[in-house]
Amino acid sequence: EEKPAEEEEAKEPEETAEEKEAREAEEKAQKEAEEKARKEAEAKAKAEEEERKRLEEEKKKEPEEDDTEDKRPRTKLKPQFSDWDATLGVVLAQDGALVSSLRGDALAYVIKSTRGTVGVTKGRYYFEVQLVESYERRVFRVGYATTEASLFIGEDQHSICFDHDGGMMTGGQTTRS
């Protein structure tokens, strides 16, 4: 029996030894690449899991050992600067979020100061300050003070501050590093 011509054309020619060797090498390289990618993905997942566990452990350790949870109700006050607990020449803007000063004539030589409206009792806190503009006198201090402290922060034992040069000041004494 004769096979139709179409059937003979559809039949693929047998691959040569070189083609077979090349195909097998390509398949092997592909399997190796897939295995390498799988191992890398597993290693990445393992590293991410270890990092997640480390962060969870760190979060558990975060409170200081001698610190207890403060069960008192939180204040409803908005932290801002106080206009009634300030020196002459202090001007507040943006609902107490921005402090400016009068600087005309003799007022340029008057030290200005204001306190915040919300206090800190315990725990860890931070705040940020941005010096928007500065004039001839560039003395600048920022820090913490008790209610008994002078408005001139750093001048007595009831306050601590950092100044424009990076010095730490308390009790009227400045420490530079």
Side-chain angles (χ1 to χ4, degrees):
E1 274 182 43
E2 281 188 41
K3 295 183 181 175
E6 293 173 6
E7 204 174 298
E8 282 184 28
E9 288 178 20
K11 189 177 179 184
E12 292 185 24
E14 289 191 27
E15 64 183 347
T16 64
E18 290 173 348
E19 291 172 333
K20 183 177 180 181
E21 190 176 303
R23 181 182 49 79
E24 288 173 351
E26 189 177 313
E27 288 173 355
K28 182 180 177 184
Q30 185 176 356
K31 285 181 182 178
E32 287 173 355
E34 289 172 357
E35 181 67 18
K36 182 180 177 184
R38 185 187 61 77
K39 286 181 180 179
E40 286 175 355
E42 286 176 356
K44 183 179 177 183
K46 184 178 179 181
E48 288 173 352
E49 179 65 19
E50 288 172 359
E51 179 67 8
R52 186 188 63 75
K53 285 180 181 179
R54 186 189 67 76
L55 289 173
E56 282 179 12
E57 288 298 316
E58 193 174 293
K59 200 182 274 188
K60 289 177 187 176
K61 294 178 187 177
E62 184 63 28
E64 294 180 12
E65 291 178 20
D66 60 349
D67 196 12
T68 58
E69 186 179 346
D70 189 355
K71 301 204 185 290
R72 295 177 294 179
R74 303 266 180 197
T75 183
K76 303 286 188 246
L77 294 174
K78 176 183 172 189
Q80 60 190 32
F81 293 102
S82 171
D83 56 352
W84 56 268
D85 201 3
T87 59
L88 179 68
V90 170
V91 178
L92 300 179
Q94 297 180 1
D95 293 329
L98 179 68
V99 178
S100 186
S101 65
L102 300 174
R103 58 185 186 282
D105 297 327
L107 281 175
Y109 300 98
V110 174
I111 297 173
K112 290 112 180 141
S113 180
T114 183
R115 293 184 212 260
T117 57
V118 177
V120 173
T121 56
K122 67 182 205 170
R124 296 178 187 171
Y125 294 86
Y126 81 96
F127 56 90
E128 296 178 11
V129 176
Q130 181 179 9
L131 188 57
V132 178
E133 60 184 0
S134 180
Y135 303 101
E136 293 132 26
R137 294 191 54 166
R138 294 184 184 96
V139 176
F140 181 79
R141 296 179 187 166
V142 63
Y144 287 97
T146 65
T147 54
E148 295 86 25
S150 163
L151 275 174
F152 304 108
I153 192 165
E155 296 293 329
D156 60 26
Q157 71 277 12
H158 300 291
S159 63
I160 186 169
C161 69
F162 294 93
D163 66 16
H164 59 286
D165 289 330
M168 183 184 76
M169 187 174 189
T170 187
Q173 300 295 315
T174 303
T175 305
R176 305 235 181 260
S177 54

